[in-house]
Amino acid sequence: SELSMKTFVEENFGPFTRNIVNLPEYALKTMDTVNSGKIKVTLKDFNKDLKKLYRLGHQFIYTIFIITFLAFSLVLFLNKKENLMRYCLYIASGFGFFLVLSIFKNRKF
């Protein structure tokens, strides 16, 4: 029983403890490699993803403006300010145009 426990510990924890002991050496080798400039990190399609995020941000902002000006126009309609209400609707329509244009411009077939 004691022999099998010793064997179990050696088989399972032996490689782990050897790796722990060698870790500082591996860390120093890695830092030397990084400091020498031999490692180059590249992010695949980073600019493409960044452009997508940028476009989505614009579309989100257009949507917020549309909702805001539609809410203003509703408040102005309820307060019987039809002339100002029309201007808010025109502005909301303008942002709606830019939103639709952005969606069609950036869609993939």
Side-chain angles (χ1 to χ4, degrees):
S1 157
E2 189 174 309
L3 183 60
S4 62
M5 183 63 147
K6 180 180 177 187
T7 306
F8 174 79
V9 169
E10 286 175 355
E11 287 177 0
N12 291 303
F13 294 106
F16 177 73
T17 54
R18 281 191 293 279
N19 287 334
I20 291 292
V21 170
N22 292 328
L23 186 62
E25 179 184 348
Y26 294 143
L28 287 175
K29 285 181 182 179
T30 303
M31 292 306 292
D32 286 341
T33 306
V34 169
N35 286 332
S36 69
K38 293 179 183 176
I39 292 180
K40 182 179 178 182
V41 177
T42 57
L43 299 173
K44 186 178 178 182
D45 296 332
F46 178 72
N47 285 336
K48 185 178 174 183
D49 293 337
L50 191 60
K51 287 179 183 178
K52 283 181 187 176
L53 187 62
Y54 184 74
R55 287 184 214 125
L56 284 173
H58 275 104
Q59 291 173 0
F60 179 74
I61 290 170
Y62 294 150
T63 304
I64 293 298
F65 279 132
I66 291 167
I67 292 169
T68 301
F69 282 103
L70 287 176
F72 283 158
S73 65
L74 178 63
V75 169
L76 291 169
F77 175 75
L78 293 174
N79 288 316
K80 301 193 185 328
K81 307 278 187 187
E82 285 83 13
N83 288 335
L84 291 176
M85 177 201 71
R86 281 193 203 104
Y87 292 123
C88 285
L89 287 176
Y90 294 150
I91 294 171
S93 299
F95 282 114
F97 173 76
F98 287 123
L99 177 63
V100 170
L101 186 69
S102 176
I103 289 170
F104 279 113
K105 180 181 171 187
N106 298 308
R107 69 182 175 163
K108 300 289 181 193
F109 290 102

